[in-house]
Amino acid sequence: MGGHGESTTYKGVTIHHPKRWHTVTGKGLCAVMWFWVFYRAKQDGPVVLGWRHPWEGHHDDHGKGH
């Protein structure tokens, strides 16, 4: 079948090794994902865990005539 480069065949299944840029890009995007997850957990963690209601702690002055 098509494809050139390194590969490993085990019990009739051929698995091609990823190129370096695929590996590096995947690790970089994984890091971005985890930074985003931890950032959102910092922002919304108490609400998600039920420790605080979403409308608590919102101290914007909208005025009383609202």
Side-chain angles (χ1 to χ4, degrees), residues 5-52:
E6 287 189 47
S7 61
T8 303
T9 302
Y10 179 73
K11 292 188 177 183
V13 177
T14 301
I15 300 173
H16 299 282
H17 298 285
K19 301 221 184 272
R20 176 143 174 83
W21 75 270
H22 283 123
T23 304
V24 171
T25 303
K27 287 180 181 179
L29 289 174
C30 182
V32 168
M33 176 201 64
W34 281 112
F35 289 140
W36 178 254
V37 166
F38 290 136
Y39 172 76
R40 293 309 304 172
K42 179 183 170 219
Q43 299 296 317
D44 297 333
V47 173
V48 172
L49 295 173
W51 297 341
R52 181 175 63 85

